Amino acid sequence: MRRHDLVYLCASAEFKTPCAEAGSIFWLAARDWIAHGRALVAARQPATASGVLLGLTLPLQHERKRLTIKVDRSSIVAVQPALPLARCLALLPVDSAVVLNELERRINGSKARIGVFGSLAWEALSGEAYRHAASDIDIICDVATPEQFRLALAALQQAAAELPCALDGEIRFPDGNAVAWREILANLARPNAAVLAKGNEEVRLLQLRVLIASLSPEHCHA
């Protein structure tokens, strides 16, 4: 299980959250969310944490309240990768959908993988309102080779230039560390620069060259 993975719980799963008191409107909304079989999102799992930490952002009617949800691992019934972009296109204006469809086609064509998280994903998963006029689109792109890395950066740049809204998100390296793609782009000419890397257990500063070095040669993936 990695950050941004979709995690499904049994309908009767017991949970704790430090973000809302038991019985409060937000706590009740989280309970109903789980009872209806909707996905939560895997968060960072600190080595010292007991149980599994998940994230849930409630819809606009609940002020898009963000909750950290802690459950026992036995409550998990399924784990899936971040939502494919294709699942979200019907929610967007046609011109934006065309751009994102081409972005997904280019990334998947290289055998890398791209998914969406954030408000667009929550809206697609729930059918409820999350986005507003200024909402951005958040992606997670998993790369394994230098060629996939280069293609992903180029494809993201092009899509960002064509979309009417901001395209944010991360590129994730084989070791599980993910860095904002815009931060990577800004430091490509400075490989010794430290970038903010978000791993499955911790956040730390790593040199960009170390992350790039974790990519496997193309011939290993032929």
Side-chain angles (χ1 to χ4, degrees):
M1 184 171 62
R2 301 184 298 174
R3 288 175 58 250
H4 303 308
D5 279 355
L6 302 177
V7 181
Y8 293 84
L9 305 176
C10 61
S12 59
E14 295 185 2
F15 69 93
K16 295 180 180 179
T17 175
C19 308
E21 292 184 5
S24 70
I25 187 171
F26 298 129
W27 186 92
L28 291 170
R31 186 191 63 181
D32 290 345
W33 184 281
I34 294 169
H36 281 85
R38 292 174 173 175
L40 288 82
V41 173
R44 279 189 301 278
Q45 309 295 320
T48 57
S50 60
V52 177
L53 299 181
L54 307 174
L56 170 61
T57 301
L58 295 172
L60 280 173
Q61 63 174 312
H62 292 300
E63 306 168 16
R64 296 201 303 180
K65 174 75 171 179
R66 294 185 178 184
L67 303 176
T68 297
I69 304 288
K70 184 163 73 171
V71 300
D72 188 81
R73 190 171 294 274
S74 63
S75 298
I76 298 174
V77 296
V79 178
Q80 298 176 359
L83 200 66
L85 275 170
R87 286 274 305 276
C88 306
L89 299 186
L91 300 173
L92 299 170
V94 173
D95 55 348
S96 295
V98 169
V99 174
L100 292 175
N101 184 61
E102 175 62 12
L103 171 63
E104 187 171 49
R105 186 194 67 78
R106 291 182 66 186
I107 298 295
N108 290 347
S110 73
K111 294 186 169 51
R113 188 188 185 282
I114 189 168
V116 62
F117 64 95
S119 58
L120 180 58
W122 287 121
E123 197 162 289
L125 287 165
S126 68
E128 300 195 46
Y130 277 83
R131 307 182 75 241
H132 50 74
S135 291
D136 55 12
I137 294 172
D138 297 296
I139 57 87
I140 178 71
C141 183
D142 287 289
V143 298
T145 71
E147 182 57 29
Q148 289 175 355
F149 174 68
R150 289 190 292 269
L151 185 147
L153 272 180
L156 289 166
Q157 277 185 274
Q158 180 175 340
E162 296 174 355
L163 284 170
C165 61
L167 179 63
D168 294 325
E170 306 164 349
I171 288 179
R172 184 158 51 194
F173 294 86
D175 61 4
N177 284 302
V179 180
W181 74 267
R182 292 182 184 277
E183 186 175 2
I184 293 173
L185 191 63
N187 288 286
L188 271 182
R190 303 168 55 243
N192 288 324
V195 294
L196 189 67
K198 298 179 180 180
N200 291 319
E201 295 185 357
E202 60 182 346
V203 177
R204 53 183 173 160
L205 291 173
L206 293 175
Q207 288 183 316
L208 182 56
R209 65 175 179 82
V210 172
L211 294 163
I212 293 175
S214 72
L215 298 169
S216 302
E218 276 80 5
H219 66 77
C220 292
H221 295 263

